[in-house]
Amino acid sequence: MSKSIRQLVADLHLYAGLFVSPFILVFAVSVVFLVHSWVPGGSAPARSWNESNLTLPADFEQLKGREQVDAAQVVLNRIGIPGEIWNIRQFPARRRIEITVNVPGSETVVNIQTDTKAATIARRSTGLADALIYLHKLPGPHLVAIRGNSFFMQVWRGLADATVYLILFLTSSGV
Amino acid sequence: MPSSPESLTPAGAPSADLSRWCTRWNRRLHYFLGLYFLFFIWLFAFTGLVLNHSSWEFFRLERRAVATDRSIRVPESASPVDQARDVMRQLGLAGEIEWVATQPDPTRLDFRVTTPASLVDLKVDLKQGRVAVQNAANNAAGTMQLLHTFTGVRRSDSRNDRDWLLTSIWALSMDAVAGGLVVLVLGGLWMWLELTPKRVPGLIVLSSGLLICGWLVVGLKWIYG
C-alpha cells in the first residue's frame, strides 16, 4: 500500500473513530445495565395534568396500525407531546385510547377520552441509564410496522446503522 | 548502546520517559485489544444491524419445531427450580431455565429451556409423569441474533435469573467487550490528543458526534421535559 493511501486510511480511521466514539460509549455503557438487568437511580414520580377540547380525527377509533399511529402523532403534536409512540391501547367499551410516548429518559402516558375529547397525561422521568437502554434497544425487531414514527427515532435508526458501518470500517482499517 | 536524546535531558527526563512509555503501551493496548475483541465486535455489530432490520430476508431467524411426548420419573423435590433441573437431567437437556407462565396448578410444571441455538418448551404433568416437549431449533442466523440478546435476565421480569453456567460466561464476555470498547475509545482519544496538527479538525469531528449523541441521550428530555 502506498504511503499516501496509508495516510488517508489512518486519517479516516482517526476522524471516523472520533465521530462515532460517543455512540460506541452509549452502546457499551448500556450493555452493563442490560446484561445485569440493573438500572441505577430508579424513576421519579409521575407528573399529571389534563387537556380538554382535543381535535380528534373523525375515524380515530376505527384506525389501525401505522395509520392510527400517524393520526395519534398529529393529536399529540397539537397538545405539545412529541416523541416516539411506543404503543396504543384501545378500550372501546369505555371510549378510551391510551397512548404511551417516549423520548430517551422520559415516558408519557396519554389517556384520551374520545367521547368528551379530553385527555389525562402522566409524564415520568426514567433517568439517564434508562435513556441509554432505550436507545440501545431501539428501533429493534419488534413492532416494526409502527417503529420510527417520530423524527428523532428516524435519525437514531440512521445513526445506529452508521455506528455499525463505521465500527466495521474502524476494525478493518485498524487491522 | 547510545542513549536516546530525550533520556539525556536533565530536567523533566523521568516524566518524558514515563509519557513515552505510556504512549507506547497505549498504542499497543489499542491495537491488541482491538484484535482480541475483533470477532466479538463484528458479531455484536452485525447482529445489532440485523435486529434493526428484521425485514432482511437473507438473515432471518427461522425455527424448526419438533414435538414429542415423553414419560419421566416424577421429581421428588418441592422446589420448582429443582423439579425443572431433574426433568432436564432426565431428558438430557441443558440451558437457561425460563419461567414463561405462573404455575396455578401444583400438578403441572411448565417452563422453557433456552440456549442460543434452541428453545424447548416443556409442559410437565407431575401426576402422570408425562412431559410434552416442543423443541424448536434455530437456524445459524437465529443463533447469532440470539447471542446478541442472550443474558438470561430481563429487567421487567424478576422471576427469571441466570441459572446456567454458559449464560454467566456469555454475560461476562458481554461485559468484557463493553469494557474493552470503553478502553479502545479512551485510548483512541489519547492517541488523537498526541497528534498536535490533528487536534483542531479532530475536535470539530468529535464535537459534532458529541452534539448529536447528546441531543438524543439528554437533549430531547431536556427540551420536551
Side-chain angles (χ1 to χ4, degrees):
Chain A
M1 199 188 289
S2 74
K3 201 178 167 188
S4 60
I5 293 177
R6 278 179 73 99
Q7 187 56 51
L8 178 69
V9 172
D11 283 352
L12 285 173
H13 184 96
L14 172 70
Y15 295 124
L18 283 172
F19 177 79
V20 84
S21 56
F23 299 94
I24 292 176
L25 290 178
V26 166
F27 283 108
V29 172
S30 54
V31 162
V32 179
F33 303 136
L34 283 163
V35 167
H36 299 285
S37 183
W38 165 68
V39 181
S43 61
R47 183 170 62 89
S48 301
W49 71 97
N50 298 313
E51 294 281 346
S52 54
N53 300 320
L54 300 182
T55 311
L56 303 175
D59 54 353
F60 193 39
E61 289 170 283
Q62 279 73 52
L63 294 173
K64 298 276 174 229
R66 184 65 191 226
E67 282 184 337
Q68 190 182 39
V69 167
D70 291 340
Q73 277 290 12
V74 175
V75 175
L76 294 173
N77 280 329
R78 280 194 199 120
I79 54 174
I81 300 174
E84 173 79 3
I85 293 178
W86 180 256
N87 62 10
I88 298 180
R89 295 169 69 198
Q90 270 186 278
F91 304 90
R94 285 182 262 170
R95 304 287 310 275
R96 188 160 70 87
I97 294 178
E98 184 185 278
I99 308 170
T100 306
V101 191
N102 297 102
V103 295
S106 168
E107 183 181 81
T108 309
V109 179
V110 182
N111 270 294
I112 299 175
Q113 202 63 45
T114 51
D115 49 355
T116 60
K117 297 191 178 358
T120 307
I121 299 151
R123 176 175 287 165
R124 66 187 181 95
S125 170
T126 53
L128 180 63
D130 187 81
L132 298 178
I133 291 170
Y134 178 81
L135 288 170
H136 190 127
K137 288 171 95 170
L138 266 81
H142 306 298
L143 297 171
V144 177
I146 66 161
R147 201 51 68 229
N149 58 69
S150 61
F151 173 68
F152 89 81
M153 189 53 67
Q154 288 164 18
V155 172
W156 176 243
R157 190 198 294 270
L159 286 167
D161 284 1
T163 302
V164 171
Y165 294 130
L166 287 174
I167 284 175
L168 294 177
F169 168 72
L170 289 170
T171 48
S172 309
S173 58
V175 170
Chain B
M1 192 177 175
S3 302
S4 64
E6 289 88 347
S7 64
L8 297 174
T9 311
S15 70
D17 280 350
L18 181 67
S19 168
R20 257 199 319 282
W21 183 86
C22 289
T23 299
R24 200 165 53 240
W25 274 99
N26 178 49
R27 192 174 286 272
R28 283 179 187 168
L29 188 69
H30 192 80
Y31 185 74
F32 288 111
L33 205 61
L35 276 180
Y36 182 78
F37 285 121
L38 185 66
F39 289 103
F40 283 99
I41 292 171
W42 279 353
L43 173 75
F44 286 112
F46 182 67
T47 52
L49 190 67
V50 170
L51 285 166
N52 281 347
H53 295 273
S54 47
S55 60
W56 287 359
E57 292 287 338
F58 76 100
F59 216 79
R60 188 178 279 267
L61 186 156
E62 281 168 12
R63 290 195 168 113
R64 204 184 51 212
V66 178
T68 51
D69 197 66
R70 302 267 300 268
S71 59
I72 50 156
R73 182 176 40 77
V74 176
E76 286 167 8
S77 170
S79 143
V81 175
D82 290 340
Q83 287 177 334
R85 286 201 175 122
D86 193 344
V87 172
M88 287 166 68
R89 208 168 23 245
Q90 292 183 55
L91 298 175
L93 289 172
E96 186 69 31
I97 298 171
E98 191 182 337
W99 302 103
V100 287
T102 49
Q103 315 281 342
D105 184 351
T107 66
R108 295 205 60 84
L109 183 73
D110 296 350
F111 64 102
R112 181 177 283 170
V113 179
T114 54
T115 70
S118 69
L119 192 151
V120 186
D121 275 313
L122 297 122
K123 295 184 190 308
V124 186
D125 185 333
L126 294 170
K127 219 154 75 179
Q128 306 278 338
R130 305 285 306 173
V131 55
V133 184
Q134 174 96 11
N135 191 337
N138 301 323
N139 61 351
T143 302
M144 282 174 71
Q145 286 180 49
L146 282 174
L147 280 170
H148 192 110
T149 55
F150 193 70
T151 61
V153 289
R154 261 189 239 123
R155 193 177 149 200
S156 52
D157 183 0
S158 57
R159 288 177 307 167
N160 287 296
D161 210 351
R162 272 193 279 276
D163 44 34
W164 190 35
L165 178 66
L166 289 185
T167 319
S168 300
I169 293 171
W170 186 242
L172 199 67
S173 305
M174 288 171 157
D175 283 343
V177 175
L181 283 171
V182 173
V183 173
L184 283 170
V185 166
L186 296 179
L189 290 175
W190 185 357
M191 282 194 278
W192 158 61
L193 286 172
E194 286 174 337
L195 298 170
T196 314
K198 315 253 174 182
R199 279 187 188 169
V200 173
L203 188 65
I204 294 167
V205 174
L206 177 65
S207 303
S208 62
L210 271 174
L211 208 66
I212 299 168
C213 196
W215 169 67
L216 286 157
V217 176
V218 290
L220 283 166
K221 193 196 158 209
W222 185 66
I223 295 164
Y224 300 121

